[in-house]
């Protein structure tokens, strides 16, 4: 089954404790992206990657890191989480010739206290 | 910069038509999209329209595009309770459809 998986689905952590949210897709997609969803703000892109070893900042990259060492994986790293990073995070992937049909993961709800 | 605007809430009665509106700013967008998010789930592509089209119909869904006014709408005919969800308008700002700008989302509530 074609899918994007994210782990964990729910995470409660404390300020400053490094964490990683994993994202994996099994569709051989070139393009992968991370978004955060906040009430009234819709989805805002954090980072994206056009292919292996190619990453770029989205609209709200501060406080986040990513890597793309393999085509299928695109982890999101929070080196020192802060309460303003409490949010719902989505990973998405698409083929570069897909007319923008992005496949979304189920989301990771992160709470930073 | 690029911006996509939607109203936040819409409430309709079951069986009525729903119209969700969206305005965007980037006139060079190749594609415009409607995504649906059901409670507790990720987004799923509902439909899209190519920028040189005015209208696209797909079963109960009708998408209208007014390029002059940069206005996009989604009409759902015979709205059902299962249509209750958040609907996101999005525009592509690259030629490959990889970089999308999303609106805030419209929460559609369908009352029986």
């Amino acid at each position: 089954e074609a899918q994007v998986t994210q782990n964990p689905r729910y995470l409660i952590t404390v300020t400053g404790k490094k964490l990683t949210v994993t994202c994996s897709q099994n569709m051989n997609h070139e393009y992968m992206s991370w978004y955060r969803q906040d009430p009234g703000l819709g989805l805002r892109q954090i980072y994206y990657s056009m292919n292996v070893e190619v990453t770029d900042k989205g609209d709200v990259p501060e406080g986040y890191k990513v890597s793309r060492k393999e085509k299928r994986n695109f982890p999101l790293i929070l080196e020192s989480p802060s309460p303003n990073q409490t949010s719902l995070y989505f990973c998405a992937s698409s083929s570069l010739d897909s007319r923008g049909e992005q496949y979304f993961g189920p989301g990771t709800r992160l709470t930073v206290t | 910069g690029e911006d996509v605007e939607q109203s936040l809430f819409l409430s309709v009665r079951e069986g009525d038509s729903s119209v969700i509106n969206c305005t965007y700013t980037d006139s060079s967008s190749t594609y415009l999209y409607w995504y649906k998010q059901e409670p507790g789930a990720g987004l799923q592509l509902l439909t899209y329209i190519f920028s040189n089209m005015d209208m696209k119909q797909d079963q109960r869904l009708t998408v209208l595009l007014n390029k002059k006014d940069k206005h996009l709408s989604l009409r759902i005919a015979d709205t059902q309770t299962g249509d209750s969800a958040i609907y996101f308008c999005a525009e592509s700002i690259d030629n490959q459809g990889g970089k999308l700008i999303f609106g805030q989302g419209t929460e559609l509530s369908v009352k029986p």
Side-chain angles (χ1 to χ4, degrees):
Chain A
E1 180 192 351
Q3 60 182 354
V4 178
T5 55
Q6 294 179 229
N7 282 292
R9 294 288 315 278
Y10 303 91
L11 180 59
I12 300 173
T13 190
V14 295
T15 299
K17 186 177 179 184
K18 181 179 178 180
L19 67 92
T20 299
V21 184
T22 64
C23 173
S24 184
Q25 51 94 4
N26 62 1
M27 295 166 279
N28 202 36
H29 285 164
E30 296 86 1
Y31 188 93
M32 297 186 76
S33 183
W34 276 103
Y35 297 89
R36 60 178 288 174
Q37 182 180 12
D38 301 288
L41 298 177
L43 270 75
R44 293 179 292 167
Q45 190 178 55
I46 302 170
Y47 269 95
Y48 64 99
S49 169
M50 302 290 278
N51 216 323
V52 175
E53 301 292 0
V54 180
T55 63
D56 212 342
K57 295 177 181 178
D59 300 312
V60 288
E62 294 78 19
Y64 304 95
K65 283 175 58 177
V66 292
S67 68
R68 188 92 182 271
K69 292 183 169 49
E70 304 164 285
K71 198 171 186 180
R72 63 183 292 127
N73 296 322
F74 190 46
L76 179 70
I77 302 152
L78 284 73
E79 295 268 5
S80 182
S82 62
N84 65 11
Q85 293 178 297
T86 292
S87 187
L88 180 57
Y89 291 87
F90 288 101
C91 180
S93 73
S94 66
S95 171
L96 285 180
D97 60 357
S98 66
R99 296 185 296 266
E101 179 173 5
Q102 296 200 3
Y103 291 79
F104 281 79
T108 295
R109 186 165 291 282
L110 172 66
T111 302
V112 183
T113 61
Chain B
E2 305 88 5
D3 199 14
V4 178
E5 297 280 339
Q6 299 176 241
S7 54
L8 296 182
F9 301 100
L10 177 65
S11 181
V12 301
R13 290 266 175 218
E14 192 172 21
D16 289 349
S17 291
S18 308
V19 179
I20 303 172
N21 295 301
C22 168
T23 57
Y24 60 97
T25 57
D26 190 339
S27 58
S28 65
S29 294
T30 309
Y31 295 100
L32 294 129
Y33 311 88
W34 285 104
Y35 278 81
K36 178 182 180 182
Q37 183 183 31
E38 296 186 350
L43 280 70
Q44 277 192 299
L45 181 67
L46 202 57
T47 187
Y48 68 92
I49 188 167
F50 190 49
S51 59
N52 69 353
M53 296 168 66
D54 297 324
M55 185 181 89
K56 180 178 181 181
Q57 187 144 8
D58 184 2
Q59 299 182 329
R60 292 191 296 123
L61 305 178
T62 303
V63 179
L64 295 177
L65 175 61
N66 181 329
K67 283 195 72 175
K68 176 174 167 288
D69 295 336
K70 298 193 184 78
H71 183 266
L72 183 73
S73 68
L74 174 70
R75 179 176 180 268
I76 306 173
D78 187 24
T79 313
Q80 303 297 307
T81 54
D83 294 324
S84 293
I86 301 176
Y87 291 82
F88 290 91
C89 171
E91 61 171 341
S92 67
I93 59 169
D94 65 16
N95 290 332
Q96 296 156 318
K99 174 110 176 107
L100 302 184
I101 302 294
F102 286 87
Q104 305 94 320
T106 299
E107 183 174 349
L108 174 64
S109 173
V110 183
K111 300 190 185 318

